[in-house]
Amino acid sequence: MARRLLGVGLRRPAPSSACMMSPLMENLSMQSQTAMPRQPLVLPCNRTFSSVSTKKYDRKSTVVELPPNLKIDPRAKSSPFYGAEIVKPKKLKLKKKQKKKMKEEHLEAVSDADLDQPEDEKAGDGDIEASSEIVDGEEYDDEYEDYDSEDEEEERILYDLSTKPDVPRAIPLPKRLHVPVVDIKTGEDVGTFHLSEKTFGNDPVRVDILHRVVVYQRNKKRGKRNAGARTKTISEKRGSTRKVRPQKGGGQARAGHSRPAHWRGGAKAHGPKGRIQDYTTKLNKKVRKMGVRHALSQKLLEGNLIVTSDLAIPTHKTSALDVMLNRFDISGREGVNALIIDDADPDDAENEASVYGGLDVNFKVASGNLHKVKMLNQLGCNVYDMMKFKKLVLSLAAVRSLEERLERDL
């Protein structure tokens, strides 16, 4: 009964006048909602989103201080300050005379303010005034305390973000397939060529397929080990089981029989047991072809693909070939490594003896002494070598053969 009476007595209090909204306010709020409807946010489609705004700023706004708690090295490519120039800040130091003059002016201003104040207020606030002067003097000394110690100033490291190099961006796919054709002997452009989209235009590049093909190639190179090799254990080794010498009294180590592994003519410890150790793995042929197509697309996406008219050179001298490749930043002391693929036809060559195995003989001999260059026939073009070498050089004959071979089952 008590609970029921309490329940009856618990009523929601009536809203106060402050909480209630008048009809006039309700109308105004409704008008504001109807007058200013919420519009969806529309962004232009050609705008790029990044952490750095694309607006043009002056030099002062692009200068950023390196935070002292930043643990990353500014010289690392992952650092936001990579490539930016260091700006030397202006040292804010005051001379002794200027500091002394400013301190005197401050004290004079305080004394003038005390003279202008009425005497009644001064008498009532004598103690407070004296303490305030002391505090003001201490604050003033604290303001200029930093300038007195010139050696203890912290060195600020400033970077100008406007000097950072532009980030290279890939060419869109339809335009990316139009590549220039260069002459390997002179390094000049001799025309353009349109690559096949099925072979060189795979986007996005399947990194998982590349990984599977690389693992397959490495396992295949490891191959089979100890095929049929087998050694004898102690139980299989020929010899008597009698004790060689007495257990004690001879001053020598204990010995049971004459066939232990550490004795001459004994058994072999931990030798092969006759089982073939096969490290090869299986990967479908279509997946391997897909890996080659995606590797070629990745080289074109990076801008590390060079297409040449042919790879025929007039001499077999390594120095002459080194000069030709230096025009493309390949080989040499500061050049990168490169994989060169060719599929030369003896019928198209001036001399049939200058082509062997689909490769130009002079080029093959000259590149033998360049450790940064590897030359293969288009049949030997593989994912592992393309990932290992920075640049890929293809002749027009190799491009046609690769497109024909890799697109046969598509």
Side-chain angles (χ1 to χ4, degrees):
M1 190 67 182
R3 291 181 181 178
R4 192 176 299 172
L5 290 174
L6 287 172
V8 172
L10 293 173
R11 293 184 179 180
R12 188 175 182 181
S16 62
S17 59
C19 299
M20 295 180 62
M21 185 181 290
S22 63
L24 179 60
M25 295 298 293
E26 291 181 358
N27 294 335
L28 290 175
S29 63
M30 293 295 293
Q31 290 177 6
S32 62
Q33 292 178 4
T34 55
M36 294 183 293
R38 188 175 182 181
Q39 298 291 338
L41 182 62
V42 180
L43 295 173
C45 60
N46 58 352
R47 182 171 179 177
T48 57
F49 297 92
S50 62
S51 58
V52 182
S53 178
T54 56
K55 294 181 180 180
K56 294 182 178 179
Y57 298 99
D58 55 354
R59 182 176 174 82
K60 294 182 180 179
S61 61
T62 57
V63 175
V64 182
E65 182 180 1
L66 178 66
N69 59 347
L70 187 64
K71 302 300 182 184
I72 190 171
D73 193 343
R75 294 171 295 179
K77 291 186 177 181
S78 57
S79 171
F81 303 99
Y82 177 74
E85 295 181 358
I86 299 178
V87 180
K88 294 182 179 179
K90 296 180 180 179
K91 296 182 179 179
L92 302 176
K93 296 182 180 179
L94 298 176
K95 296 181 180 179
K96 293 183 179 180
K97 294 182 179 179
Q98 293 179 353
K99 290 187 288 184
K100 188 176 181 180
K101 186 178 180 181
M102 292 174 65
K103 193 171 183 178
E104 291 176 355
E105 291 177 356
H106 181 75
L107 294 175
E108 289 178 1
V110 172
S111 61
D112 294 342
D114 294 341
L115 293 174
D116 295 341
Q117 191 175 5
E119 295 181 359
D120 297 337
E121 296 180 2
K122 288 182 181 179
D125 302 335
D127 299 335
I128 301 172
E129 200 174 319
S131 62
S132 64
E133 288 180 3
I134 296 171
V135 172
D136 292 341
E138 291 177 354
E139 290 179 356
Y140 183 82
D141 294 338
D142 293 339
E143 290 178 5
Y144 294 95
E145 192 176 9
D146 298 336
Y147 294 100
D148 295 337
S149 57
E150 297 179 357
D151 299 335
E152 296 179 359
E153 289 185 355
E154 296 182 358
E155 295 183 359
R156 299 175 59 194
I157 304 176
L158 305 179
Y159 288 91
D160 189 4
L161 299 182
S162 62
T163 59
K164 290 181 63 176
D166 295 335
V167 179
R169 303 187 182 276
I171 304 172
L173 233 186
K175 191 177 180 181
R176 190 192 310 165
L177 299 174
H178 293 276
V179 295
V181 180
V182 299
D183 187 5
I184 193 67
K185 294 182 284 293
T186 61
E188 299 177 354
D189 296 350
V190 295
T192 57
F193 187 78
H194 183 75
L195 300 173
S196 175
E197 187 176 0
K198 295 181 180 179
T199 304
F200 294 90
N202 294 276
D203 195 15
V205 177
R206 293 282 301 274
V207 183
D208 57 331
I209 297 295
L210 298 178
H211 176 260
R212 289 176 62 186
V213 177
V214 168
V215 170
Y216 163 78
Q217 286 187 238
R218 289 174 63 86
N219 292 341
K220 185 178 180 181
K221 186 177 181 180
R222 196 175 183 185
K224 299 179 180 180
R225 306 289 177 87
N226 299 331
R230 186 177 182 277
T231 56
K232 291 182 180 182
T233 60
I234 289 179
S235 60
E236 298 170 345
K237 193 69 178 176
R238 181 185 177 187
S240 176
T241 59
R242 77 176 182 86
K243 192 170 180 60
V244 178
R245 53 178 175 261
Q247 182 78 358
K248 293 179 177 292
Q252 293 176 305
R254 295 170 292 185
H257 53 81
S258 60
R259 296 169 296 162
H262 62 284
W263 278 30
R264 180 176 177 271
K268 177 68 176 176
H270 310 294
K273 307 302 180 185
R275 295 185 298 269
I276 297 176
Q277 299 177 3
D278 189 3
Y279 298 99
T280 59
T281 55
K282 181 185 176 183
L283 191 64
N284 293 338
K285 190 175 181 180
K286 290 185 179 180
V287 180
R288 283 180 271 156
K289 284 188 175 182
M290 184 192 299
V292 177
R293 289 196 297 268
H294 281 266
L296 293 171
S297 303
Q298 176 65 22
K299 287 299 177 183
L300 179 62
L301 179 66
E302 296 172 353
N304 292 326
L305 180 65
I306 301 173
V307 180
T308 64
S309 56
D310 57 2
L311 294 174
I313 57 176
T315 179
H316 64 280
K317 293 291 185 179
T318 304
S319 58
L321 179 61
D322 195 20
V323 172
M324 299 176 190
L325 296 178
N326 286 338
R327 300 190 182 101
F328 305 98
D329 296 333
I330 298 174
S331 186
R333 186 181 296 272
E334 299 179 357
V336 298
N337 52 9
L339 177 66
I340 301 174
I341 307 296
D342 194 10
D343 191 24
D345 190 1
D347 298 336
D348 299 337
E350 298 179 359
N351 186 8
E352 294 184 359
S354 62
V355 176
Y356 179 77
L359 304 176
D360 184 71
V361 175
N362 289 337
F363 201 105
K364 181 66 176 177
V365 173
S367 62
N369 291 333
L370 300 176
H371 67 280
K372 292 185 178 181
V373 175
K374 184 177 182 179
M375 190 176 188
L376 294 174
N377 186 272
Q378 61 90 16
L379 294 173
C381 183
N382 59 88
V383 177
Y384 182 77
D385 285 333
M386 281 191 282
M387 295 292 102
K388 183 180 179 181
F389 290 87
K390 180 72 174 178
K391 290 191 176 183
L392 178 64
V393 181
L394 298 176
S395 63
L396 283 177
V399 170
R400 296 190 186 96
S401 301
L402 285 172
E403 291 177 352
E404 181 183 356
R405 181 168 61 89
L406 298 176
E407 298 176 8
R408 191 174 298 162
D409 298 333
L410 296 180

